[in-house]
């Protein structure tokens, strides 16, 4: 968009002004000599060369001026964007050129866009031509062109008078600006003094708050240290109490284990005469063969058992096999029911489930009773 604005500005310049820009910027155009006549074919070439980044950069740095009188009269630092859009008598191309040459590219684009929205390109070109004639643009160009001689005219006195008026007007504006700046400076100094005073008061308050917070922090740290010391004492007492309870718990567990062992393994009374005779008979006779699935660990219960017990560990159930005449008992509290079902399928024989250790003892006692009864009948 910036290049489009530059193109508009350059296309509105007269042949004399384009020649001035080409000489000022030392632009080389094939087939065109400096001070030569600008034809309709050469003009687009000149505009194209001036639109190159290097030339645009030089023009954007205020290296050239197109109308110094008007540029000095307008206060470019103070004039608003709205005032530029509604400015009268000055050709739009000169307004845009001054903005671009001051490096105010965005501002120039906005002003150009506002004119396009307001007038359109055809109306804007008409306004450009009208204001050029009113502004006396060509006369200024002739004065700036070094290669042309000034035409004698009875107007020098008028020009000198206009120059004095112009300088006086500039002087008044500068005085007004200086006065305004002095007033603003005085206001800023007053505000700065008040600001310093306010800041000092705020700083004193903040310092006081910081001191109070430091004191509160110190008190809090002391209180925290006391609490930490009390907690450490309680922690040590708790550790000692915990150690004592752990010792008591260990003693109770040992006593409980001993009682449990006595319950599972009660002392066996000496065998009676009948039992001794039965035992002797059992040794002589063939014993009942039992395959026990699962290890009860306590093998003392098999003492004086009339059965020949073969224990199969849980891990060996996958290779279980039985002999003819062997009964199968399964310790359901050692081996889960699914494994017992698989064992039944494997040996094609029902497995007697024994749910608890006491049930195992009762079953052995029952076998003893049956065996004694069979022995008595014999």
């Amino acid at each position: 968009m910036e290049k489009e604005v530059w193109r508009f500005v350059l296309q509105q310049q007269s042949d004399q002004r384009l020649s001035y820009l080409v000489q000022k910027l030392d632009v080389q155009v094939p087939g065109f000599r400096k001070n030569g006549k600008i034809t309709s074919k050469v003009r687009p070439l000149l505009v194209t060369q001036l639109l190159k980044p290097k030339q645009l950069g030089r023009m954007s740095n205020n290296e050239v001026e197109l109308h110094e009188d008007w540029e000095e009269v307008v206060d470019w630092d103070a004039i608003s964007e709205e005032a530029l859009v509604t400015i009268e008598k000055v050709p739009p191309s000169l307004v845009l050129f001054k903005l671009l040459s001051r490096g105010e590219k965005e501002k120039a684009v906005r002003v150009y866009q506002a004119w396009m929205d307001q007038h359109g390109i055809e109306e804007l070109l008409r306004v450009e031509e009208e204001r050029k004639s009113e502004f006396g643009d060509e006369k200024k160009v002739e004065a700036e062109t070094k290669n042309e001689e000034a035409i004698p005219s009875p107007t020098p006195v008028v020009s000198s008078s206009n120059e004095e008026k112009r300088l006086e007007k500039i002087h008044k504006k500068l005085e007004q600006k200086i006065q305004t700046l002095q007033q603003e400076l005085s206001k800023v100094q007053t505000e700065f003094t008040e600001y310093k005073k306010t800041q000092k008061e705020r700083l004193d308050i903040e310092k006081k708050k910081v001191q109070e917070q430091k004191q509160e922090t110190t008190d809090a740290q002391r209180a925290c240290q006391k609490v930490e010391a009390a907690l450490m004492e309680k922690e040590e007492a708790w550790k000692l109490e915990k150690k004592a309870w752990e010792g008591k718990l260990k003693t109770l567990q040992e006593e409980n284990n001993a009682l449990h062992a006595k319950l599972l393994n009660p002392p066996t009374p000496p065998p009676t005469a009948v039992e001794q005779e039965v035992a002797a008979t059992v040794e002589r006779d063939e014993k009942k063969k039992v395959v026990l699935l699962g290890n009860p660990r306590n093998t003392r219960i098999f003492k004086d058992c009339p059965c020949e017990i073969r224990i199969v560990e849980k891990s060996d159930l996958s290779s279980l096999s039985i002999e003819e005449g062997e009964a199968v008992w399964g310790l359901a509290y050692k081996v889960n029911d699914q494994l017992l079902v698989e064992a039944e399928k494997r040996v094609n024989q029902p497995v007697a489930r024994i749910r608890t250790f006491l049930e195992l003892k009762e079953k052995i006692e029952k076998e003893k009773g049956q065996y004694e009864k069979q022995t008595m009948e014999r």
Side-chain angles (χ1 to χ4, degrees), residues 289-313:
K289 295 181 180 181
V290 176
V291 178
L292 184 62
L293 307 182
N295 193 339
R297 302 299 177 192
N298 188 352
T299 57
R300 293 180 61 185
I301 62 171
F302 299 131
K303 185 179 180 181
D304 300 330
C305 179
C307 303
E308 183 179 329
I309 305 294
R310 178 164 67 92
I311 298 175
V312 178
E313 295 287 347

Side-chain angles (χ1 to χ4, degrees), residues 317-360:
L317 291 179
S318 60
S319 58
L320 173 66
S321 63
I322 63 172
E323 298 178 0
E324 185 177 356
E326 284 185 320
V328 184
W329 295 354
L331 299 181
Y333 63 94
K334 291 286 187 179
V335 181
N336 62 52
D337 192 65
Q338 184 178 353
L339 291 176
L340 293 178
V341 171
E342 292 177 358
E344 286 179 332
K345 294 178 180 178
R346 187 170 287 108
V347 300
N348 196 23
Q349 183 175 323
V351 176
R353 267 72 165 177
I354 299 173
R355 304 296 177 185
T356 62
F357 181 77
L358 293 177
E359 188 176 331
L360 176 60

Side-chain angles (χ1 to χ4, degrees), residues 216-372:
E216 291 176 358
T217 302
T218 303
D219 296 341
Q221 287 177 343
R222 290 174 182 171
C224 184
Q225 290 173 355
K226 290 181 180 179
V227 171
E228 287 179 353
L231 288 175
M232 290 179 66
E233 291 178 2
K234 288 184 179 181
E235 185 178 4
E236 291 297 326
W238 178 79
K239 285 181 179 179
L240 294 174
E241 186 177 355
K242 179 184 176 184
K243 189 174 181 181
W245 279 108
E246 286 176 347
K248 291 180 181 180
L249 179 62
K250 185 177 180 182
T251 301
L252 290 173
Q253 286 178 341
E254 291 174 351
E255 293 176 357
N256 182 63
N257 291 338
L259 290 172
H260 188 65
K262 287 181 181 180
L263 178 63
L264 295 176
N265 303 299
T268 305
T272 62
V274 175
E275 290 175 342
Q276 291 178 0
E277 183 179 353
V278 170
T281 304
V282 167
E283 291 177 358
R284 290 192 302 270
D285 297 340
E286 184 179 359
K287 292 184 177 182
K288 179 179 180 180
K289 295 181 180 181
V290 176
V291 178
L292 184 62
L293 307 182
N295 193 339
R297 302 299 177 192
N298 188 352
T299 57
R300 293 180 61 185
I301 62 171
F302 299 131
K303 185 179 180 181
D304 300 330
C305 179
C307 303
E308 183 179 329
I309 305 294
R310 178 164 67 92
I311 298 175
V312 178
E313 295 287 347
K314 179 180 177 180
S315 59
D316 297 330
L317 291 179
S318 60
S319 58
L320 173 66
S321 63
I322 63 172
E323 298 178 0
E324 185 177 356
E326 284 185 320
V328 184
W329 295 354
L331 299 181
Y333 63 94
K334 291 286 187 179
V335 181
N336 62 52
D337 192 65
Q338 184 178 353
L339 291 176
L340 293 178
V341 171
E342 292 177 358
E344 286 179 332
K345 294 178 180 178
R346 187 170 287 108
V347 300
N348 196 23
Q349 183 175 323
V351 176
R353 267 72 165 177
I354 299 173
R355 304 296 177 185
T356 62
F357 181 77
L358 293 177
E359 188 176 331
L360 176 60
K361 288 180 67 177
E362 291 174 357
K363 192 165 185 64
I364 292 173
E365 292 297 325
K366 185 177 180 181
E367 291 292 336
K368 283 183 181 180
Q370 291 178 353
Y371 187 78
E372 290 174 357

Side-chain angles (χ1 to χ4, degrees), residues 29-53:
V29 180
F32 175 74
R33 292 181 301 174
K34 293 181 180 179
N35 300 326
K37 184 178 180 181
I38 299 178
T39 65
S40 59
K41 292 183 179 180
V42 173
R43 185 179 178 85
L45 297 176
L46 295 177
V47 172
T48 301
Q49 289 295 323
L50 290 170
L51 285 174
K52 289 187 176 181

Side-chain angles (χ1 to χ4, degrees), residues 1 11 14 28 44 67 99 118 152 185 192-193 230 240 260 268 274 299-300 329 334 350-351 374:
M1 190 63 179
Q11 287 176 344
S14 63
Q28 302 296 326
H67 210 298
L99 290 174
Q118 182 179 354
L185 178 61
F192 182 68
T193 303
L240 294 174
H260 188 65
T268 305
V274 175
T299 57
R300 293 180 61 185
W329 295 354
K334 291 286 187 179
V351 176
Q374 292 174 2

Side-chain angles (χ1 to χ4, degrees), residues 180-194:
T180 302
L181 290 174
Q182 287 177 342
Q183 291 174 353
E184 290 178 356
L185 178 61
S186 176
K187 182 180 178 182
V188 169
Q189 288 176 340
T190 303
E191 291 176 352
F192 182 68
T193 303
E194 186 65 26

